[in-house]
Amino acid sequence: MSIRGIPFRRLPGIIAASIVAALLLVFIVVPVGLVLLKSFDNSGRLPDWRLAEITEEALQLMPEAERDAAMVRWVEQATLAERVAAMAVAYDLAGLTPAWDVAAPFEHQQTAIDAVLPALTPAEAQAVEVAFPIAHIMLHKRIALAFAVRDQLSVADFDRLRAARQERYGLDNYAAVFADTYLRKAAINSVTLALISVLTTVSIGYAIAYGLNRGGIARPVLTRNILLLPLVAPPIMVATATTMLFGRRGLITYTLFEQTLGISSADSFNVYGPLGIIIAQTLSFLPTTLIVLDNAMRRQDGRLEEAALMLGAGRLKLFTNVTLPLSWPGLKRAMVLVFIQSLTDFGNPMILGRDTPVLAGVIYNEITSFQNTPLASAICLWLIIPSLLLYLALEQLGRRKRYVSNDAGTPAEQRQPLPVRVALTGLAGFFCVMILAIYIVMALGSVTKIWGIDWTFTLAYFTPEGLGAGMEGTGYGSRDGGLDEVWNSVRVAAIAAPLGGLLALCIGYVAERMRRPWGDIIAFEALIPAILPGIIFGVGYIIAFNAPFGIKWLSLSGTEAIIIINIMFGNLYVGVLAARAALQRVDQSVDEAAENLGAGMIRRFWEVTLPMLRIAALLGILYVFIDGLTTLSSIIFLVSGNIDLASVAIFSAASSSNYGYAAAKSVGLLLVSAAAMGVVVWVERQTRRAQGMPAKASGRRQELTVMGAGATF
C-alpha cells in the first residue's frame, strides 16, 4: 500500500523527519537568520531637515486659510518647553548653532534666547523666524497635522509623518564599529585580548597535554580531573573568585599584602584591568583547550618518537620535527576555540576590566540599556569575522604537508628527563592549585559575612532574608538572599534536559538514516549553535520571539518557555554528535533487517535503535542539564522579572561586589552539578554491568570530556 508512490510504512518516518526539520528551522535557523537581517536595519528617527521638508509638504495640502489659522493657533498655544525646543531646531534648520546651553533649565534657555536673538543679522533672523513655526509643528503638532491631511496622504506617508521614522537598510551599523571611537576601542581591545589569551592558554594547555601523555607529569589522572573541574562551574565564577583573591579587598592583595605584610596597597596593586581579564580567561578556557590538545596528543603514535630517538634525534629535534607537527591539527582547533571564546566573553571583562570595553560587553549594554538591537546584531556578526580570518590563516600554514601515523594512539614509553618532569609537574600543579583555590574561595565567601572586611562566619547568604538578618535589620542585599534562583535554574534545566536529550537522539537518528543531502542538512542545522557564538543565539531569540509576525499573543519574551527552548536547541549538537557517532558503530544491517520485517522509521528507532543509544542519551541529557545550570551568554538577554536564573544572579551580584551572594549561589550550582554527575556515572555503570561490560573507573572524566567536546566543535 502506498500514497502517491510512497510506501505507507515509510510515511511516519517522513512525517517525523519533517517535524524535526521544521523545529530546527523555527528555533535555530530563523533566529540566526533574523540577526543577520536585523544587522542591516538602519531605521530610525528622520533627520530634522527631512522631517521639516515632510512637514512643509503636508502643510501645503491644507487650504491656505485653514493652514494659516492652524499655524498661528499652534504657535500661540506652545508652552515654554515647546518654544525652547523648537527654537533650538529652528537655529539648526537656519544653518546656525544654538548659542546657549540646550541642557539648561527652560527658563534659563529662554533668557539666553532673548539675549542672542537681537545679535543675529537680518538675514539670519529672517531664516530663524521662518523656520520656527515649522520646527514647532514638526516637533509637537505633527500628529495633529497628519490626521488633518490624512485623506490626502498615502498610508506610508501618513505613517512616516506621524512617527517621524524612516525605514532604511544598509551597512551603517557595521561601519559604526570603525566610525565610533568607543566601538573602535572596544574592537581593538577584543582582538588584542583574544590574541593574548590564545598565546597564554594554548601554550599552557599544550605543555600540560604533552606532560600528561608523555610521562612528564606525576599523577596524570588526578591532574587531568582537577584541570577539567571548571567545565561544570558557572562561567562567571572564575572572574568572581579572581576578584576575591586579587581585587581591592582580595584575600591576597588586601588581607595578606596590605594588612598583614604591608608591602603594597590593594587600591593600586590589584587584578583589575587587562591583566586580570587575561588571567581569568586563561583559567576559564584552559579546560576546553586541554581537552582538544589532550585528544590530539593521545592519538599520536608514540613509536614514531621512539624510532626518532633510536636514530639519534635529540629531545629538541624530536619535539620540533615529530611531536609538534603531529599536534598541528589539534593546535589549530585550540587556537580558534580560545579566540572565539575570548571574543564572545563579556562576563570576565565586565567584572575585571571595568575600564576596558570589549565588543561582547557593548552588545550586552546595547541590548539591556539602549534596546539597540540592530547595532547589537551587527556587532554579533563582526565577532565572527576575526575568528574566520584566523581559521583561514591557520589553514594556510602547512596545508601542503600531511603528518599521519599509521597506528595512532600507541603511547610512547620513553621517560622524560628530570628537569622536564619537574617543570611540567610544577606548571600543572600551579594551575591545579589555582583551580582548587577558586573553589575554596567560593566556599569560604559563601559563609563569610563581608569578604575582606568582616570574616565572621554566617549562613545568611543561603537564607531568603540575606545578610540583613545579621546587620540589625538594615536589609543590606536582602533581595539577593536565598537560593531561589538556583532552584529556578534546576527546574528549567530539568525540563530542558530530557526533552533536549530525546530530541537530539531523534535528530541524530534521522540525520544518519535519511538519504543525502537531507540528512546532512538536518545535521548541519542542529550544529549551527556550536559554530556560532552563544551571544548570537540569545540576541536571535529576542528578535524572533518578541511578538513574531506582529502577533503579541505568540510572543515568548519574558516567559520561562523561551529560556527552556533556548537551552534545549542551543545544546542539541552534543547529543546529535554522540548519537551519530554511536549509530556509525552499530551494524546498519540490524536496522535494515527491522525495515525488511515491516518496521517503519519510528518503530525501528523506538524498539531497535533507542536501547542501543542509552549512553549517548545520558551524555546528551547531562550536557543540556549542566549547560542549563551554568549558561550565561544566551539566557542573560532572555531572563525577566518573572524568572531569574542562578548564573545571571551570580553575574549581577559579582558586578555589584556582593561576593557573598555570588559565592552562595555558585556553591548551590556546584552541588547540583556534582549530584547530576554522580547520578549519570552511577546509571552508566549499572547499564554496563547489566550488559556484561566492565564499569570504567574513568567514567567521570569521560563525562567531563564529552561536555567540553561540545564547545570544541
Side-chain angles (χ1 to χ4, degrees):
M1 182 176 181
S2 64
I3 301 178
R4 293 187 178 182
I6 300 176
F8 183 77
R9 59 188 175 86
R10 292 189 179 181
L11 189 60
I14 295 174
I15 295 175
S18 301
I19 293 174
V20 165
L23 289 173
L24 294 176
L25 179 66
V26 172
F27 293 109
I28 293 181
V29 178
V30 169
V32 173
L34 288 178
V35 172
L36 177 61
L37 294 177
K38 196 70 174 180
S39 67
F40 295 104
D41 185 1
N42 299 318
S43 302
R45 186 180 182 277
L46 287 167
D48 288 340
W49 64 269
R50 178 58 181 150
L51 184 56
E53 287 183 352
I54 294 175
T55 303
E56 290 187 83
E57 293 171 359
L59 285 169
Q60 294 303 317
L61 297 176
M62 297 176 68
E64 184 176 356
E66 182 181 344
R67 178 180 65 242
D68 294 341
M71 292 181 67
V72 171
R73 183 176 67 254
W74 285 337
V75 171
E76 289 178 347
Q77 293 174 350
T79 64
L80 174 62
E82 291 174 347
R83 288 199 304 271
V84 168
M87 186 58 70
V89 174
Y91 261 67
D92 183 61
L93 295 175
L96 304 174
T97 301
W100 64 90
D101 183 7
V102 295
F106 297 127
E107 295 82 358
H108 297 174
Q109 291 191 55
Q110 185 61 58
T111 302
I113 290 171
D114 294 338
V116 300
L117 278 176
L120 297 176
T121 65
E124 291 173 341
Q126 177 67 22
V128 172
E129 183 180 355
V130 172
F132 177 78
I134 301 299
H136 171 66
I137 293 171
M138 78 183 206
L139 290 178
H140 309 296
K141 300 298 180 181
R142 184 180 65 252
I143 296 177
L145 173 61
F147 279 97
V149 296
R150 182 175 186 175
D151 294 338
Q152 299 170 267
L153 293 173
S154 66
V155 175
D157 289 340
F158 172 76
D159 290 338
R160 182 165 59 249
L161 176 60
R162 185 181 60 170
R165 291 181 60 84
Q166 60 179 347
E167 291 187 4
R168 186 169 61 88
Y169 295 88
L171 299 174
D172 293 7
N173 293 318
Y174 291 92
V177 175
F178 299 98
D180 187 274
T181 304
Y182 182 79
L183 294 180
R184 187 165 61 247
K185 180 180 179 182
I188 294 173
N189 288 341
S190 296
V191 175
T192 302
L193 289 171
L195 291 173
I196 296 175
S197 294
V198 167
L199 179 63
T200 57
T201 309
V202 176
S203 299
I204 295 168
Y206 186 77
I208 294 176
Y210 178 83
L212 290 174
N213 291 278
R214 294 299 182 269
I217 293 178
R219 306 296 296 273
V221 175
L222 177 63
T223 300
R224 186 181 282 109
N225 287 335
I226 293 175
L227 292 175
L228 294 179
L229 282 176
L231 288 173
V232 294
I236 203 65
M237 195 180 81
V238 173
T240 305
T242 302
T243 306
M244 295 169 69
L245 284 170
F246 304 106
R248 293 188 178 93
R249 289 297 180 266
L251 183 64
I252 304 298
T253 51
Y254 180 71
T255 304
L256 179 61
F257 288 173
E258 180 175 337
Q259 288 192 322
T260 305
L261 301 179
I263 60 177
S264 65
S265 171
D267 290 332
S268 56
F269 179 71
N270 54 58
V271 77
Y272 297 111
L275 178 61
I277 298 174
I278 293 169
I279 293 174
Q281 288 187 341
T282 300
L283 290 172
S284 300
F285 307 152
L286 183 60
T288 50
T289 305
L290 182 61
I291 287 173
V292 176
L293 297 175
D294 189 24
N295 184 58
M297 295 292 298
R298 192 178 300 178
R299 290 177 178 273
Q300 293 181 15
D301 187 357
R303 294 178 300 182
L304 292 176
E305 299 181 4
E306 295 173 355
L309 290 174
M310 293 176 62
L311 292 173
R315 292 282 179 178
L316 181 60
K317 192 172 184 179
L318 168 65
F319 178 79
T320 56
N321 289 3
V322 179
T323 306
L324 189 59
L326 289 174
S327 307
W328 180 239
L331 281 169
K332 289 191 295 185
R333 290 195 298 270
M335 290 178 187
V336 175
L337 168 65
V338 174
F339 194 82
I340 293 174
Q341 287 180 314
S342 178
L343 276 182
T344 57
D345 175 29
F346 66 89
N348 290 321
M350 293 189 73
I351 297 296
L352 295 168
R354 296 170 183 174
D355 296 325
T356 308
V358 295
L359 288 180
V362 171
I363 295 172
Y364 174 77
N365 291 329
E366 291 295 330
I367 291 290
T368 58
S369 301
F370 306 111
Q371 288 79 49
N372 192 349
T373 308
L375 179 59
S377 300
I379 297 175
C380 282
L381 295 173
W382 264 125
L383 293 178
I384 301 175
I385 304 299
S387 304
L388 181 61
L389 292 177
L390 177 65
Y391 171 77
L392 294 175
L394 292 175
E395 283 296 311
Q396 293 301 312
L397 296 177
R399 64 187 180 90
R400 295 185 178 181
K401 298 180 180 180
R402 295 185 63 194
Y403 300 91
V404 181
S405 56
N406 294 326
D407 188 15
T410 303
E413 297 181 1
Q414 76 271 15
R415 187 174 178 81
Q416 297 293 333
L418 180 61
V420 174
R421 296 201 306 272
V422 171
L424 293 177
T425 301
L427 178 67
F430 172 79
F431 282 94
C432 286
V433 169
M434 289 293 295
I435 290 174
L436 291 176
I438 290 172
Y439 284 81
I440 293 172
V441 164
M442 297 307 288
L444 292 176
S446 67
V447 295
T448 300
K449 195 168 187 180
I450 303 178
W451 186 263
I453 297 177
D454 187 347
W455 299 99
T456 305
F457 177 84
T458 181
L459 294 176
Y461 296 114
F462 295 95
T463 65
E465 294 78 13
L467 194 60
M471 296 184 68
E472 299 178 358
T474 62
Y476 168 75
S478 59
R479 69 181 183 87
D480 297 321
L483 300 178
D484 288 346
E485 297 89 353
V486 175
W487 306 133
N488 289 340
S489 295
V490 172
R491 184 181 68 256
V492 167
I495 296 173
L499 295 176
L502 181 60
L503 182 59
L505 291 184
C506 295
I507 294 171
Y509 179 76
V510 169
E512 196 64 27
R513 293 295 185 252
M514 281 192 70
R515 296 179 179 179
R516 294 184 177 182
W518 307 113
D520 292 337
I521 292 175
I522 289 176
F524 176 76
E525 289 179 350
L527 297 179
I528 288 176
I531 301 170
L532 299 178
I535 198 169
I536 294 180
F537 209 51
V539 174
Y541 268 55
I542 294 176
I543 301 171
F545 301 113
N546 184 18
F549 307 109
I551 305 174
K552 292 186 177 180
W553 64 270
L554 286 178
S555 176
L556 296 177
S557 298
T559 66
E560 188 174 291
I562 193 173
I563 300 175
I564 294 172
I565 294 172
N566 183 273
I567 292 172
M568 279 178 52
F569 286 89
N571 300 284
L572 281 176
Y573 59 90
V574 175
V576 172
L577 291 173
R580 295 194 72 183
L583 286 170
Q584 289 169 0
R585 294 194 298 267
V586 174
D587 191 349
Q588 194 168 348
S589 61
V590 177
D591 195 70
E592 293 173 351
E595 183 179 11
N596 292 333
L597 291 173
M601 178 183 284
I602 295 178
R603 187 175 181 184
R604 297 199 311 272
F605 171 76
W606 190 258
E607 297 184 4
V608 179
T609 306
L610 188 58
M612 297 186 290
L613 296 179
R614 289 193 183 97
I615 302 301
L618 284 174
L619 296 179
I621 292 172
L622 176 65
Y623 186 85
V624 175
F625 183 78
I626 296 297
D627 191 83
L629 291 178
T630 61
T631 185
L632 180 66
S633 61
S634 289
I635 56 93
I636 195 170
F637 303 109
L638 305 177
V639 295
S640 64
N642 299 326
I643 178 172
D644 197 5
L645 301 186
S647 57
V648 179
I650 294 169
F651 173 74
S652 300
S655 299
S656 56
S657 300
N658 290 331
Y659 301 121
Y661 295 104
K665 298 176 197 305
S666 297
V667 169
L669 284 185
L670 290 173
L671 292 177
V672 174
S673 300
M677 297 286 293
V679 170
V680 171
V681 172
W682 180 82
V683 171
E684 181 188 1
R685 288 179 176 174
Q686 295 301 315
T687 301
R688 290 183 177 277
R689 288 173 181 171
Q691 296 174 347
M693 301 172 62
K696 294 187 177 180
S698 59
R700 181 171 179 271
R701 179 174 63 82
Q702 287 182 332
E703 306 295 344
L704 290 168
T705 302
V706 170
M707 286 191 292
T712 67
F713 179 78

